[in-house]
Amino acid sequence: MANPTHLASHIRSKQATIGIVGLGYVGLPLVRTFVEAGFRCLGFDIDPKKVDRLKAGESYIGHLSAEWIYEAVKSKRFEPTADMRRLAEPDAIIICVPTPLTDARDPDLSYVVGTAEQIAAVLRPGQLVVLESTTYPGTTRDVVQPILERGGLQVGSDFFLAFSPEREDPGNPSFSTSRIPKVVGGIDAASRDLAVELYRQIVVEVVPASSCEVAEACKILENVYRAVNIAMVNELKMLFDRLGIDIWEVIAAAKTKPFGFHAFYPGPGLGGHCIPIDPFYLSWLARKFEQPTRFIELAGEINTQMPQYVVERVAEALNDASKPIRGSRIAVLGVAYKKNVDDPRESPAFRILELLGDRGAVLTYHDPHIPRLPAMRHFRVPDLSSQPLTAEFLSSQDCVLVVTDHDAVDYHLIAEHSRLVIDTRNALQAFAAGRTNIRKA
Ligand SMILES: NC(=O)c1ccc[n+]([C@@H]2O[C@H](COP(=O)([O-])OP(=O)(O)OC[C@H]3O[C@@H](n4cnc5c(N)ncnc54)[C@H](O)[C@@H]3O)[C@@H](O)[C@H]2O)c1
């Protein structure tokens, strides 16, 4: 029997060691938050290259500085390791590993299962395990708990297990990890209370939920809400465009309503690890219960159509200049999935590049955060490096296509020197008046 009061006081006094599994876009900022709150962190990753880079004081995430990593590693507040046997050391283990989809678009829990097995191999009485990876309701209880109990230890008496969804918004300066409230559900009350105590040390607010399932469903609700609302404005964008109405102006007007309206913005398609993927975790579960999830499917349909829509707008604009896509020089501006980050995962830019390449465009790109296009599992990616954004480069292009509106880009320069700009983010709004070379898509 483990005594939860002992662990709770260890947490409160910040004597507890925290183990973070998965040192990616979520895990690494979480390490920083714990270290800054005064805890010692062990960081686990199966990718030895990442561990080596961290040990050398390097960062592979744009918004987390190398200086911070260097100092944290040097002062031994943060110890990165690929040695999973050391999972026996931390008092609390937080799992932040990927939860992607399989090729058949079903949940791929192999990383979560793999991590649970690594923990189970060394689990000791008194440890608290928290799953943060986004997943369908029931994963913590039905998938993780049985693996952890394989060695004979019982949840609630020997060790503790909770779910607390990750809500990281990478690159958002207003909401770093510590400023985002955290929802926490436990397999039992003791597990929940310990996890609540843990997160209380590092975030502004902790919101206890009555079960892991509620906490798991909460994250999926947040992401379905975004996917559906983005799909709705994307659909309205296409309609309003036909009617000669600017959707951006409509949204700016609508959001002056002080209640009952939350602004969502159209774009070239969904990207990132969350919104294009997480809703399908729920629709997979719904199929098992023979319950349709029509909003999720419809939103997916509309959002995945957007790259094609953007390419049609490019074709139309070039046609007006008596040019076909074939042979036209087209520069894609911004390939990260959203502004001011260096994360290319699921970015609509890659589908757009594929569609334009198939139609014979001569492609280049500029992205201040992505110096070279990475290989992607689901896309044919051209071998390109980011081109310097100069007046000469811009004027040499038949079309500049703004896919991601990074702040570190000189949009005035683009407006001044490009023959044709297709703007999917309203990034050139301030320079568009009176210019015929700028079109929205
Ligand atoms: N990136 C975001 O903005 C974001 C936001 C909210 C939620 N999430 C969720 O958080 C989770 C993690 O996402 P991410 O963006 O940090 O992923 P990521 O790919 O950036 O990082 C995951 C890390 O886990 C490591 N890993 C995989 N299997 C492992 C194992 N068995 N043991 C140790 N390490 C292992 C990988 O090498 C990788 O470094 C996902 O469930 C995601 O849906 C992400």
Side-chain angles (χ1 to χ4, degrees):
M1 279 284 270
N3 183 354
T5 340
H6 176 69
L7 179 55
S9 69
H10 221 45
I11 289 170
R12 271 194 297 274
S13 65
K14 308 208 169 153
Q15 294 301 305
T17 299
I18 314 299
I20 312 264
V21 190
L23 300 174
Y25 285 93
V26 167
L28 213 44
L30 193 60
V31 166
R32 178 174 59 185
T33 312
F34 272 107
V35 167
E36 283 177 351
F39 288 90
R40 182 177 160 259
C41 271
L42 269 175
F44 296 87
D45 206 291
I46 41 165
D47 182 347
K49 280 195 229 112
K50 280 190 175 165
V51 171
D52 288 346
R53 290 189 68 181
L54 293 169
K55 280 184 175 161
E58 287 176 29
S59 174
Y60 41 77
I61 291 181
H63 52 283
L64 215 153
S65 77
E67 290 74 37
W68 187 88
I69 289 171
Y70 178 80
E71 285 304 328
V73 171
K74 196 172 141 212
S75 65
K76 299 201 166 38
R77 305 301 300 171
F78 171 36
E79 194 182 339
T81 178
D83 181 357
M84 300 302 160
R85 286 165 307 184
R86 296 192 63 191
L87 282 163
E89 292 175 37
D91 301 290
I93 300 171
I94 302 180
I95 305 171
C96 309
V97 296
T99 42
L101 296 173
T102 64
D103 288 341
R105 301 195 70 72
D106 288 337
D108 175 1
L109 284 183
S110 58
Y111 299 94
V112 171
V113 167
T115 305
E117 286 170 345
Q118 287 160 350
I119 297 171
V122 293
L123 187 70
R124 62 171 169 81
Q127 281 181 309
L128 166 68
V129 179
V130 185
L131 178 63
E132 284 211 7
S133 304
T134 308
T135 185
Y136 60 81
T139 308
T140 312
R141 194 179 305 274
D142 301 338
V143 178
V144 177
Q145 183 185 339
I147 298 173
L148 295 184
E149 287 184 334
R150 268 181 207 162
L153 296 182
Q154 292 285 308
V155 74
S157 51
D158 301 317
F159 73 98
F160 306 96
L161 178 60
F163 181 85
S164 178
E166 218 307 310
R167 281 170 157 173
E168 187 72 10
D169 188 12
N172 184 339
S174 314
F175 289 102
S176 57
T177 311
S178 65
R179 301 204 47 205
I180 306 171
K182 220 143 173 20
V183 173
V184 175
I187 288 289
D188 51 57
S191 297
R192 184 200 54 215
D193 293 348
L194 276 173
V196 166
E197 197 60 57
L198 179 67
Y199 287 113
R200 257 197 202 131
Q201 311 304 317
I202 61 156
V203 295
V204 277
E205 187 188 349
V206 181
V207 183
S210 66
S211 66
C212 286
E213 287 73 13
V214 169
E216 289 161 333
C218 163
K219 174 69 186 184
I220 300 260
L221 167 64
E222 290 166 16
N223 284 355
V224 170
Y225 170 77
R226 294 200 58 207
V228 167
N229 278 284
I230 292 168
M232 184 190 69
V233 286
N234 276 334
E235 187 172 72
L236 292 179
K237 167 179 82 169
M238 295 187 281
L239 170 64
F240 289 171
D241 185 54
R242 288 277 184 92
L243 303 177
I245 299 168
D246 181 345
I247 179 90
W248 295 90
E249 199 184 334
V250 176
I251 296 170
K255 80 176 196 185
T256 60
K257 184 179 177 185
F259 49 87
F261 183 82
H262 182 89
F264 284 84
Y265 296 96
L270 293 181
H273 186 308
C274 299
I275 317 293
I277 292 173
D278 304 343
F280 295 99
Y281 268 66
L282 190 61
S283 51
W284 172 86
L285 184 66
R287 280 202 299 280
K288 291 193 8 179
F289 287 83
E290 295 182 11
Q291 181 71 34
T293 47
R294 281 172 292 180
F295 272 108
I296 294 176
E297 306 300 336
L298 182 59
E301 214 176 281
I302 295 170
N303 288 328
T304 48
Q305 194 196 329
M306 295 321 295
Q308 184 71 50
Y309 173 81
V310 169
V311 168
E312 290 310 323
R313 298 284 75 74
V314 171
E316 222 170 69
L318 284 171
N319 188 56
D320 289 348
S322 305
K323 287 177 191 160
I325 286 186
R326 182 166 303 283
S328 284
R329 287 180 300 276
I330 302 179
V332 169
L333 212 120
V335 294
Y337 83 89
K338 69 169 186 173
K339 69 192 292 181
N340 306 337
V341 301
D342 59 359
D343 186 352
R345 288 178 296 176
E346 309 288 326
S347 170
F350 292 92
R351 183 66 187 134
I352 289 171
L353 284 165
E354 220 170 47
L355 291 168
L356 289 170
D358 287 347
R359 291 170 78 162
V362 181
L363 295 166
T364 48
Y365 86 99
H366 171 79
D367 191 311
H369 304 287
I370 301 187
R372 193 169 190 88
L373 291 186
M376 307 282 275
R377 221 173 104 209
H378 299 294
F379 301 104
R380 287 167 279 123
V381 182
D383 183 17
L384 296 174
S385 303
S386 176
Q387 296 299 303
L389 202 64
T390 61
E392 296 70 45
F393 169 70
L394 290 165
S395 57
S396 73
Q397 300 298 306
D398 295 301
C399 174
V400 173
L401 170 58
V402 180
V403 171
T404 306
D405 51 341
H406 294 304
D407 288 339
V409 165
D410 184 348
Y411 293 101
H412 184 237
L413 188 79
I414 295 171
E416 280 282 299
H417 296 283
S418 307
R419 288 182 221 171
L420 168 67
V421 184
I422 303 291
D423 183 2
T424 68
R425 302 283 192 177
N426 205 26
L428 282 91
Q429 168 71 12
F431 313 106
R435 290 185 201 267
T436 52
N437 64 331
I438 300 173
R439 294 193 189 186
K440 295 178 192 178

